Amino acid sequence: MDKMRSVASRFQPPHAPGLLIAVIAAVAFLTRLLPLLLTGTLGGFRGYDDGVHYAAGVHLIAGSLPYRDYVLVHPPGIALLMAPFALLGHLFSDTAGMGAARVLFVLIGTLNTVLIGVLLKKWGYLAVIVGAGLYALWSVATIAERSVMLSPILNVCVLAALLALRSGRRPPRRAVTLAAVFLGLALCFKLWAVLPILVIGVLVAVRFGRWLLLRFALVGAAVCTAVMGLFFVLAPGAMFTDVVMAQLVRTDGAGKALMYRLREFAGVDAPEVLILAVAALGVLCIVATAYTGLAGRRRLRAWGDEVWWALLAVVISAVLLTSDSFFDHYPNFVAPYLALCLGVAAGAGAGVLSRKMQGQLSRPWRNLTVPLAAVVSVVLLALTGVRGFVLEPAPLPNVNSALLVAAARPYDCIFFTYAYMGVVSDSLSRSMQHGCGSVVDVGGTRMVDGLQSGGPGTPLTRGMSAQELQVSQLKVAQAAVVRSPFLYYGMSAGAIEELRSDFVLTASSGTFQVWARR
């Protein structure tokens, strides 16, 4: 296998990997940022989730804490991360705060691309082009890294941990400590981090022994305690219900068939036969990657990094394909490991091909095999990039954000059904400053309603259902920013009745409406 690596990297000029990774990083950055700028949506609508995450930061800087004061069905890391951007929104505008947050996530996506390239460097520039290049352009990656989502943070933490644990790169104690810090941080954002933590925990046990595994567990636990401990102390029952129990009972993906999920993995709506072919190619690359890490290594401790990359791809893919919870951006959780496997397979394949051709082609032609493969890969990646450049979800049709902002500006206390409506109308931070916060996460609150949580908290939130919350907030609001049809976009029946009886429509743009109290 070492021969394969040496052959695969033989054709790259000095300093080529670093320069190549820099070029791919630039492509990743532009692929994520330019569509936001060209469509004018950098600080506008980008879906439901990133509005929730930004609103959690807005509430935090106002002294309203997750779990104690409102429902948040994820660990508190995202609220803490969004706090500086919420402060920016407080000082300037919500669109400015959200826009700055999205630039951060574009940079995180670019860093993920760089980390993949660095991990693949030893396999030659073809591996870097294929693996990091795919991640730079793949819609499965860009869909999450143009918005304030949780998976890019998990990915950067896990990739950093893999980089820290690379075979023979640094003293074991330091490597394990760094990996534990990164993975502890990952768990502070989303419980899905448990999957890579388990895989990498096995890696640490096999490669370094039980004492460093204990160190790995203790350091990771210390990081989680430092970030999440205070929130748990203030509302232990509510936090456990929101973060753990609500996730365990989610069924929002139960009806999504295997083929639907495979299409989301591929990032393209193609015929079934093509999707199955892409899936088969993915499986082949995972197997090839595992083989390269196992070849010639009988002892578990000697297994190459590639084995663990393949195992991460298998474990996370299996859970995603069978989980009762699944959304279109979920494949981003496994995208880095699939990109690593594809890169290793390409690099190893180039090495095998070059060795086989040594006796069949003259040296000049033999030296062209890997460069030609690189050219073909770039062409294929360019085609992938056409799809990756498309914004998902699409910009809101026929919505004039400036009109909504102007219509909401005269009012200090504004109700909005979903948090992103407060961002689009630049009223979220202003309303919170005047003590008129709306429900942070309507969907999450309704999940917790179903659990009939009795966790401790303030009467305003923990003691009310989502419908009661909306009605109570409308009763004190001067205006409301909502979206039609009301039921589809989150309003409860009681809230709709309150809106129609006590408010009058003053402005509309597309499906968005601004209502003012009569």
Side-chain angles (χ1 to χ4, degrees), residues 132-211:
L134 173 67
Y135 194 85
L137 298 168
W138 197 7
S139 61
V140 172
T142 61
I143 189 176
E145 293 170 351
R146 293 188 183 114
S147 300
V148 181
M149 307 295 275
L150 301 177
S151 56
I153 303 171
L154 263 64
N155 291 344
V156 76
C157 289
V158 177
L159 288 169
L162 292 175
L163 193 62
L165 292 169
R166 278 194 302 176
S167 303
R169 291 287 177 169
R170 52 176 50 89
R173 285 167 60 90
R174 184 182 175 195
V176 168
T177 301
L178 284 172
V181 169
F182 289 129
L183 293 173
L185 287 173
L187 193 59
C188 294
F189 285 87
K190 192 171 177 69
L191 290 189
W192 280 87
V194 168
L195 297 175
I197 286 172
L198 290 174
V199 173
I200 294 176
V202 175
L203 182 161
V204 170
V206 166
R207 188 173 289 177
F208 303 113
R210 63 180 182 274
W211 291 113

Side-chain angles (χ1 to χ4, degrees), residues 13-27:
H15 311 299
L19 178 61
L20 178 60
I21 292 171
V23 170
I24 294 174
V27 170

Side-chain angles (χ1 to χ4, degrees), residues 305-476:
D305 298 330
E306 297 81 8
V307 175
W308 306 102
W309 302 347
L311 191 57
L312 282 167
V314 169
V315 170
I316 299 175
S317 294
V319 173
L320 287 173
L321 291 172
T322 58
S323 171
D324 281 342
S325 180
F326 187 89
F327 289 99
D328 57 357
H329 61 275
Y330 274 24
N332 184 244
F333 288 118
V334 74
Y337 321 116
L338 293 176
L340 285 170
C341 290
L342 188 60
V344 171
V352 170
L353 184 63
S354 295
R355 283 193 299 135
K356 287 185 176 295
M357 289 184 171
Q358 281 182 358
Q360 300 176 21
L361 296 174
S362 63
R363 186 177 181 84
W365 284 105
R366 206 164 57 235
N367 289 346
L368 284 174
T369 54
V370 175
L372 284 173
V375 171
V376 172
S377 299
V378 169
V379 171
L380 293 175
L381 287 172
L383 297 175
T384 303
V386 172
R387 171 65 176 164
F389 207 76
V390 175
L391 273 182
E392 294 181 29
L396 292 170
N398 305 316
V399 173
N400 185 335
S401 297
L403 186 152
L404 296 174
V405 171
R409 187 176 293 123
Y411 309 103
D412 294 326
C413 189
I414 301 175
F415 168 88
F416 38 85
T417 316
Y418 290 157
Y420 71 75
M421 299 177 188
V423 175
V424 171
S425 60
D426 191 23
S427 59
L428 196 160
S429 293
R430 184 169 71 254
S431 293
M432 198 66 196
Q433 292 165 28
H434 290 84
C436 302
S438 291
V439 182
V440 172
D441 182 0
V442 174
T445 303
R446 286 174 175 164
M447 279 196 290
V448 173
D449 285 350
L451 293 171
Q452 298 181 333
S453 170
T458 62
L460 177 62
T461 57
R462 303 307 305 197
M464 291 185 181
S465 67
Q467 172 165 292
E468 291 168 337
L469 275 170
Q470 289 185 339
V471 172
S472 69
Q473 290 163 352
L474 270 170
K475 285 184 180 297
V476 299

Side-chain angles (χ1 to χ4, degrees), residues 10-100:
R10 181 185 302 167
F11 304 97
Q12 58 193 36
H15 311 299
L19 178 61
L20 178 60
I21 292 171
V23 170
I24 294 174
V27 170
F29 179 78
L30 294 174
T31 302
R32 285 153 178 75
L33 184 61
L34 279 181
L36 295 174
L37 297 177
L38 295 174
T39 57
T41 57
L42 181 62
F45 172 77
R46 293 296 313 125
Y48 177 85
D49 285 2
D50 69 349
V52 171
H53 300 153
Y54 176 77
V58 171
H59 275 249
L60 188 62
I61 66 170
S64 175
L65 301 182
Y67 324 117
R68 189 194 71 178
D69 300 325
Y70 63 90
V71 171
L72 182 67
V73 294
H74 296 295
I78 192 63
L80 291 167
L81 182 63
M82 286 298 102
F85 301 99
L87 181 59
L88 189 64
H90 170 80
L91 295 174
F92 297 99
S93 69
D94 286 315
T95 52
M98 179 64 89

